Amino acid sequence: MWKYRHYLRRLAERGVFGAARSRTLGLIPVERYEYADVAPLREVRALLGRVLRGHEPDARTVTLLTLAHRSGVLGHLFDLDGGKRVEELVRDDWAGQAVKTYVDKTTKKPGDLADGMTLLSSGGS
């Protein structure tokens, strides 16, 4: 989280988040960020929910749906029940394909050579 602090502060300056600073145990400084207005979040979630239930989306909504799906966020927001509808909608979206490619290239999978190399270089067996 610390590497994103700069972005959170900038968003707080723009009014997206409210920033609260306090101290834990009276010693450790803590910054907490909460959405200043959750209405836009509710609107987006409702929009995606309507699309998942069968409403026809526009191109912008398909891109948003694809980004949420390919990044793994959509599964945390909705019960997808196999995700057939999602796969039909996102199949040809360019943004989602780019995100999927990036996630596939940057996410280690069990059995990757890099995992073995890390284990060997750390002296493990």
Side-chain angles (χ1 to χ4, degrees), residues 52-118:
L52 292 174
R53 288 189 301 273
H55 284 72
E56 198 60 37
D58 61 359
R60 182 176 174 242
T61 305
V62 170
T63 298
L64 178 62
L65 180 70
T66 306
L67 292 172
H69 176 60
R70 298 294 187 203
S71 64
V73 171
L74 195 63
H76 293 285
L77 297 175
F78 301 99
D79 180 23
L80 299 178
D81 293 330
K84 290 181 184 179
R85 169 113 172 111
V86 175
E87 287 300 328
E88 289 171 6
L89 291 169
V90 305
R91 185 178 314 128
D92 298 324
D93 187 69
W94 67 269
Q97 295 303 325
V99 170
K100 182 180 186 315
T101 301
Y102 177 78
V103 168
D104 288 347
K105 286 184 178 182
T106 59
T107 304
K108 291 184 184 177
K109 294 161 189 65
D112 278 353
L113 183 60
D115 292 340
M117 295 305 290
T118 303

